[in-house]
């Protein structure tokens, strides 16, 4: 199948041309690249979601993850406080310096909390963005969708890659995230790494 506007080869299942953004009709129209004609009354081109929309989505998702995380880790944090009181290991209850045996349970619980929050973030983003929603709650609320370069739904594996590539986007002073504000297809660095787009449903 070829794009009716620019003649580029369009892959099966694509919802828009990855070269020019021209929407592809749902019913496959087979046309040769020689029959390229100017499109007069085209549907709106794919609209990429810009930095600020995505920023608001991140905040909504942050709140959701914070609430879910608090509910999941509540028993662990409770156990930590209880153990602390039983051992008399904290501040005013304390008697003498803490020994490694006092500290170890706390280190282990904190390690588990970090692990749980990592797994939670991974599953939240990867499961929802590879689902039929193609969006987290924040993106859904704002009408945004994650797609591959041809506008198709992404797999769980690709969504996982995109999620973990955010670590790289964050490591360079979050410039990887800010790139969504000025790259051609408004891709953040993790979108480029995973071959993804974030689009606005029109
Ligand atoms: Zn095209």
């Amino acid at each position: 199948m070829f794009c009716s506007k620019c003649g580029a080869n369009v892959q099966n299942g694509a919802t828009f041309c990855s070269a020019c953004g021209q929407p592809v009709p749902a019913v496959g129209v087979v046309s040769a690249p020689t029959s390229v004609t100017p499109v007069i009354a085209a549907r709106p081109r794919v609209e990429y979601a810009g930095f600020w929309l995505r920023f608001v989505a991140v905040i909504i998702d942050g709140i959701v993850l914070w609430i879910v995380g608090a509910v999941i880790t509540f028993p662990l944090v409770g156990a930590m406080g209880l153990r602390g009181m039983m051992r008399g290991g904290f501040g005013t209850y304390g008697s003498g310096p803490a020994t490694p045996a006092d500290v170890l349970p706390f280190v282990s619980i904190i390690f588990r909390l970090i692990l749980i929050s990592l797994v939670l973030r991974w599953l939240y983003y990867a499961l929802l963005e590879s689902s039929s929603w193609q969006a987290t709650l924040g993106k859904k609320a704002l009408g945004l969708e994650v797609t591959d370069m041809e506008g198709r739904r992404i797999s769980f594996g690709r969504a996982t890659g995109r999620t973990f590539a955010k670590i790289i986007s964050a490591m360079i002073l979050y410039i990887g995230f800010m790139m969504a504000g000025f790259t051609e297809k408004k891709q953040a660095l993790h979108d480029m790494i995973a071959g993804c787009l974030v689009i606005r449903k029109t």
Side-chain angles (χ1 to χ4, degrees), residues 3-201:
C3 174
S4 60
K5 191 180 175 197
C6 73
N9 196 4
V10 178
Q11 292 187 46
N12 269 344
T15 62
F16 55 78
C17 169
S18 62
C20 73
Q22 172 73 12
V24 174
V27 181
V29 178
V30 180
S31 62
T34 49
S35 69
V36 174
T37 47
V39 177
I40 297 148
R43 284 189 288 155
R45 283 167 52 130
V46 57
E47 223 187 301
Y48 306 113
F51 176 80
W52 288 108
L53 264 176
R54 296 174 60 163
F55 183 74
V56 174
V58 164
I59 290 178
I60 296 171
D61 290 328
I63 293 168
V64 171
L65 280 167
W66 186 82
I67 293 169
V68 175
V71 169
I72 290 176
T73 57
F74 184 76
L76 263 181
V77 175
M80 187 157 67
L82 204 66
R83 243 184 262 199
M85 278 195 287
M86 286 194 301
R87 285 170 182 268
F90 274 140
T92 50
Y93 304 109
S95 50
T99 66
D102 291 333
V103 177
L104 210 61
F106 296 105
V107 174
S108 126
I109 286 176
I110 287 164
F111 181 76
R112 268 185 279 171
L113 287 174
I114 293 169
L115 198 69
I116 289 168
S117 83
L118 260 174
V119 171
L120 180 67
R121 289 187 78 84
W122 163 44
L123 293 179
Y124 177 78
Y125 278 98
L127 283 174
L128 284 175
E129 289 179 346
S130 65
S131 75
S132 60
W133 271 20
Q134 296 176 236
T136 56
L137 287 165
K139 288 192 178 77
K140 183 81 176 166
L142 298 170
L144 311 185
E145 270 184 2
V146 180
T147 74
D148 70 3
M149 298 308 288
E150 272 82 33
R152 294 170 296 192
R153 178 174 161 183
I154 59 172
S155 67
F156 178 74
R158 189 186 286 238
T160 295
R162 180 177 181 276
T163 301
F164 282 93
K166 285 179 185 171
I167 296 170
I168 301 166
S169 289
M171 275 193 322
I172 49 170
L173 304 170
Y174 289 88
I175 289 168
F177 286 91
M178 292 171 207
M179 282 167 64
F182 54 79
T183 52
E184 191 203 341
K185 292 180 176 176
K186 299 191 178 172
Q187 286 175 294
L189 181 60
H190 47 271
D191 295 318
M192 291 179 163
I193 291 170
C196 292
L197 296 170
V198 180
I199 61 168
R200 261 181 99 169
K201 288 193 80 176

